[in-house]
Amino acid sequence: MAGDGYEAVLALSYQDWAGGAWVPVKNKVAVVNGSKSWTFKNKKDVKPYACDRKVGTTKLVNCRAAF
């Protein structure tokens, strides 16, 4: 966490295989300050975004496509 009260977040959008169909998922937080919380199992069309998030909140800000 930087001294400005924001933390670095890797967010993802993708299609998730659920209930026999591909379901869109947007802004899934995958990594916060180096801690992982995501898997590639049953996913397709994965797009990464680098974002900021104020500590203690869930709203992502300043998101940029990683490529």
Side-chain angles (χ1 to χ4, degrees):
M1 177 179 74
D4 62 1
Y6 285 84
E7 54 194 358
V9 175
L10 174 67
L12 304 171
S13 68
Y14 54 88
Q15 298 285 321
D16 190 21
W17 185 255
W22 290 107
V23 179
V25 177
K26 186 177 179 183
N27 292 337
K28 167 68 177 172
V29 173
V31 178
V32 177
N33 291 335
S35 298
K36 299 175 191 174
S37 65
W38 193 77
T39 178
F40 282 99
K41 185 176 181 191
N42 297 326
K43 311 289 189 283
K44 73 173 187 173
D45 301 329
V46 178
K47 296 178 183 136
Y49 296 88
C51 304
D52 293 324
R53 180 173 74 180
K54 191 163 181 70
V55 173
T57 68
T58 59
K59 182 179 178 182
L60 300 176
V61 296
N62 303 323
C63 291
R64 302 281 191 270
F67 56 87

